[in-house]
Amino acid sequence: MTALRTGRAGRAAQYAALLCYLVFLAFPFLWLVSIAFKPAAELGSLHPTWIPEDPTLDNFRQAFDEQPLLRAAGNSLIAALAAALIAVTVATPMAYVMARRRSALTTAATGWVIVSQAFPFVLVIIPLFLVLKNLHLINTLAGLVAVYVTWSLPFALWMLVGYVRAVPRELEEAAAVDGAGRLRVLVSVTAPLLAPGLVATGLFAFITAWNEFFFALVLLKSAEKQTLPVVLTHFLGAEGAADLGPLAAAAFLATIPSLLVFAVIQKRITGGMLAGAVKN
């Protein structure tokens, strides 16, 4: 009986800790939503409230009137989707080789992938800028996509290596016995079983590119090419004063695509697809 009570108390403590963590994560977003729907009078109140007393859409209308949010969102969407697709396409065969061909070279490559994630942005921005300048890709979405792919590829590769190692070798060996070559095995056998990993990796690359600010600020100079995170800074005044209502409304709209993408594909991330993988 004592052990049972201890187990229940432990689970209750875990759930309480998880609830506190969720509240901690959700607080900034909930406060952002609250500000986005508050009129100017409530934003300047000395006694702020969670729920707007007089909800309004004026902040959203003002945000669209002041800044080209739709154009910026389109640029961000193009860059994020292209970066995600290219990163997953390039990382998949590389991860397969690193997972299936164990050697000193693949071990060193894996270590380099992990170490490269510790490099700060400011350390690589100058070399990247010079390379893109020589390639005439400054102030272009293509150049920005190339940077996003370069930055997200190491982590995408590291993620996919783990997923490839989880695929039973017996399935690939059975396909090889039936006459399938390496490429056919990768495309027809391994890749379908990697669907959860491919989706999770693509989601990581998409969200990273969608939310990225520093590279877009440095590499994109024309207003027509700027992405959404850069345009959000235009709601700040010359002296750092923020147009809080429109800024919150625009930031709230900027978070919606990431939330929708995650909500749609979260089942593929958490669900396994290897359980029914048998050779008929």
Side-chain angles (χ1 to χ4, degrees), residues 23-99:
V23 171
F24 173 77
L25 292 178
F27 174 78
F29 179 73
L30 295 177
W31 190 247
L32 176 70
V33 174
S34 176
I35 294 176
F37 289 95
K38 284 183 178 180
E42 289 189 43
L43 292 176
S45 175
L46 296 177
H47 304 284
T49 58
W50 271 99
I51 301 177
E53 297 178 358
D54 186 18
T56 179
L57 295 176
D58 290 342
N59 292 325
F60 294 90
R61 286 191 287 266
Q62 187 177 348
F64 280 101
D65 291 340
E66 292 182 1
Q67 300 298 334
L69 296 180
L70 291 179
R71 183 179 64 197
N75 293 336
S76 292
L77 184 62
I78 293 173
L81 284 176
L85 291 174
I86 295 174
V88 170
T89 302
V90 173
T92 301
M94 295 174 62
Y96 182 80
V97 173
M98 292 178 64

Side-chain angles (χ1 to χ4, degrees), residues 25-173:
L25 292 178
F27 174 78
F29 179 73
L30 295 177
W31 190 247
L32 176 70
V33 174
S34 176
I35 294 176
F37 289 95
K38 284 183 178 180
E42 289 189 43
L43 292 176
S45 175
L46 296 177
H47 304 284
T49 58
W50 271 99
I51 301 177
E53 297 178 358
D54 186 18
T56 179
L57 295 176
D58 290 342
N59 292 325
F60 294 90
R61 286 191 287 266
Q62 187 177 348
F64 280 101
D65 291 340
E66 292 182 1
Q67 300 298 334
L69 296 180
L70 291 179
R71 183 179 64 197
N75 293 336
S76 292
L77 184 62
I78 293 173
L81 284 176
L85 291 174
I86 295 174
V88 170
T89 302
V90 173
T92 301
M94 295 174 62
Y96 182 80
V97 173
M98 292 178 64
R100 292 294 187 246
R101 298 290 181 89
R102 301 280 183 95
S103 65
L105 181 60
T106 57
T107 302
T110 303
W112 174 250
V113 165
I114 297 174
V115 171
S116 66
Q117 296 302 294
F119 292 167
F121 286 178
V122 294
L123 186 64
V124 299
I125 187 59
I126 295 178
L128 281 175
F129 186 89
L130 294 177
V131 170
L132 293 177
K133 182 179 180 181
N134 292 332
L135 296 176
H136 305 287
L137 291 177
I138 295 296
N139 197 36
T140 64
L141 288 179
L144 187 64
V145 170
V147 172
Y148 286 166
V149 172
T150 303
W151 193 254
S152 61
L153 188 58
F155 189 77
L157 182 59
W158 179 75
M159 287 182 63
L160 286 177
V161 166
Y163 280 100
V164 172
R165 288 175 178 170
V167 176
R169 286 179 177 268
E170 290 77 7
L171 297 175
E172 298 177 358
E173 293 171 355

